[in-house]
Every structure is written in C-alpha cells, then in structure tokens.
Amino acid sequence: MNDAGTLPQVMLEVRELTDEAFAPYGQIIAPLRTGGQGAETGYDPETSAREARLVLDNGVPRLWIMHLPHVGLGFSRIARHRQVTQCLGSLGGKEWLIGVAPPGDLGDDARPRVEDIVAFRIPGDRVIKLHLATWHAGPHFVDDECRFFNLENLDTNRHDFHGVPLPVECRYRL
C-alpha cells in the first residue's frame, strides 16, 4: 500500500476477443446463422468444435439475469468457480469488460499471479463460457447500468465461490 492507504494500480491492456486469445480462459459463443426451427443447415452441434463445452452436472443449473449498476473500471478482488462453467453475456448489445487469469492450482490457498491477469472487451453480440476454475473479475462496463444473462449453478455463489483479494488494483486501459 502507498501512503494514502490505497493499493498500487496495475493497468490492463484490453485485448481483442478472439478464439485463440481467449482459449486459456474459456470459449466464445458467437451468433450462428440458422434457417429457423427444423431447417437443415448442415451444422452438427454434436460434432462441432465450436460448441461450448459446459459443465453443469455438479448441481442444479440456474439461468438468470443480473441487473448491475456501474461499479467502475477497476478491481482488487478476483474469484473463480471450480465446479461449474459459468456463461456470461450482456443483454441489449452492450459491450463489456472482464479480467481473467488461467485456472492454475485448484487448492483453497491458491491465487492467481497479478502478471497473469489479462483483460478482454466482450462485444454485445457474444457470450463467454469460462473454463472450470478460471479466475475472473467483472463484468465491468462504461454504461450507468447493464443487464447480463448468467448461466451457472443454483448454489454457485454459496458453495462454489473462491474469491481472493489482490495486492493491487487492476484497472482497464481503454
């Protein structure tokens, strides 16, 4: 801490969301053009590598809409879920930001290295699926408020929430 009692700041360069860049942290779910219900497109979700691989069998799945106020563009805590692959996407086409670090050690005393935390800008027409135990902070956004759909387990925040403080405040460099 510095003399003012605040944490030192680390600026995170915001990366472009691509499959390759996001692969260590999760998968991107992008729009898939279809012909409507029952129309044949030739696309097979059972064999496609583009399909998000969800883990929702460690509890009762919960799909809900988070209505968040603007909380700023920085964070000094980071968390993960070790039993579920959380999916997040904004409603209304708003872009947003998330800080992530790879899963690493699954132990209760584990924490990510600050130098491993990276930031991504998520377009409003994309959803992300986080790998099991991916560290994450967010969603963050510039609007006054934003709504997000969130797919996780019913008890995720009570029984599968591993949050830790960081020795710095991470801020997004926009």
Side-chain angles (χ1 to χ4, degrees):
M1 290 195 170
N2 63 26
D3 292 336
T6 59
L7 294 173
Q9 288 187 353
V10 171
M11 299 303 292
L12 300 176
E13 296 294 331
V14 178
R15 298 177 179 193
E16 179 184 353
L17 186 69
T18 65
D19 290 330
E20 297 76 24
F22 199 68
Y25 319 103
Q27 291 175 276
I28 302 166
I29 303 168
L32 179 64
R33 183 173 297 279
T34 68
Q37 186 174 1
E40 182 54 46
T41 62
Y43 177 77
D44 184 355
E46 293 181 55
T47 60
S48 175
R50 292 183 8 203
E51 287 296 313
R53 303 298 182 219
L54 304 178
V55 176
L56 297 169
D57 54 353
N58 293 321
V60 176
R62 177 187 187 208
L63 176 62
W64 61 292
I65 297 173
M66 298 187 300
H67 184 176
L68 299 176
H70 180 76
V71 295
L73 295 174
F75 58 92
S76 59
R77 293 189 56 78
I78 197 162
R80 66 181 177 174
H81 311 299
R82 294 176 277 189
Q83 298 175 23
V84 67
T85 53
Q86 184 177 21
C87 296
L88 290 167
S90 74
L91 298 176
K94 294 181 179 180
E95 74 175 23
W96 54 285
L97 304 159
I98 192 165
V100 292
D105 179 1
L106 295 180
D108 288 343
D109 293 333
R111 57 192 63 235
R113 297 180 329 152
V114 171
E115 56 269 26
D116 291 339
I117 300 171
V118 298
F120 287 95
R121 182 182 319 275
I122 314 298
D125 66 345
R126 299 291 188 270
V127 172
I128 59 167
K129 187 255 355 187
L130 299 173
H131 292 318
L132 285 176
T134 291
W135 295 99
H136 59 284
H140 296 101
F141 45 90
V142 298
D143 298 286
D144 291 337
E145 61 182 24
C146 197
R147 290 181 175 92
F148 294 86
F149 84 77
N150 185 350
L151 177 61
E152 57 190 0
N153 281 339
L154 193 60
D155 66 350
T156 292
N157 289 326
R158 188 171 329 153
H159 294 111
D160 188 26
F161 186 88
H162 180 205
V164 297
L166 295 170
V168 298
E169 178 189 22
C170 295
R171 298 201 54 82
Y172 301 103
R173 186 185 316 271
L174 299 179

